Amino acid sequence: RQHRELIQRRGGDQGNNAQSKKVEKVARNGRVVATYDSINAAAEANGCDHHTISSRCSGKTTSYTKDGYKYRYKKQEERV
């Protein structure tokens, strides 16, 4: 509940933001096992703090999470 209130004070849930980047959950074998609409959505679905996801997407942390996954921003598809 406190987290939700903090998000609201900061101007809303980033998961509903049109500028949110999609996040991919990647297994040790390199296979994408899930895609999320935002860092917050990925954190909520995996029961971890959004900083855990964010630090891996930005490259600040390169290790796997405790459950054995990495996270990265999904590459945007080129429009023709």
Side-chain angles (χ1 to χ4, degrees), residues 33-51:
V33 296
T35 302
Y36 305 96
D37 288 332
S38 67
I39 288 173
N40 287 337
E44 186 175 317
N46 291 283
C48 62
D49 186 79
H50 70 277
H51 295 291

Side-chain angles (χ1 to χ4, degrees), residues 24-34 64 68-71:
E24 295 178 325
K25 180 178 182 178
V26 183
R28 288 187 186 267
N29 64 7
R31 190 176 67 115
V32 176
V33 296
Y64 288 91
Y69 295 97
K70 286 192 176 185
Y71 294 86

Side-chain angles (χ1 to χ4, degrees), residues 4-67:
R4 177 65 56 196
E5 291 170 358
L6 179 61
I7 289 173
Q8 289 172 344
R9 277 186 271 149
R10 288 184 178 171
D13 187 348
Q14 294 298 313
N16 295 328
N17 186 338
Q19 295 179 351
S20 292
K21 295 180 181 179
K22 293 195 181 286
V23 174
E24 295 178 325
K25 180 178 182 178
V26 183
R28 288 187 186 267
N29 64 7
R31 190 176 67 115
V32 176
V33 296
T35 302
Y36 305 96
D37 288 332
S38 67
I39 288 173
N40 287 337
E44 186 175 317
N46 291 283
C48 62
D49 186 79
H50 70 277
H51 295 291
T52 299
I53 309 292
S54 176
S55 66
R56 282 160 176 84
C57 288
S58 67
K60 289 180 183 176
T61 303
T62 58
S63 62
Y64 288 91
T65 57
K66 287 188 258 183
D67 59 351

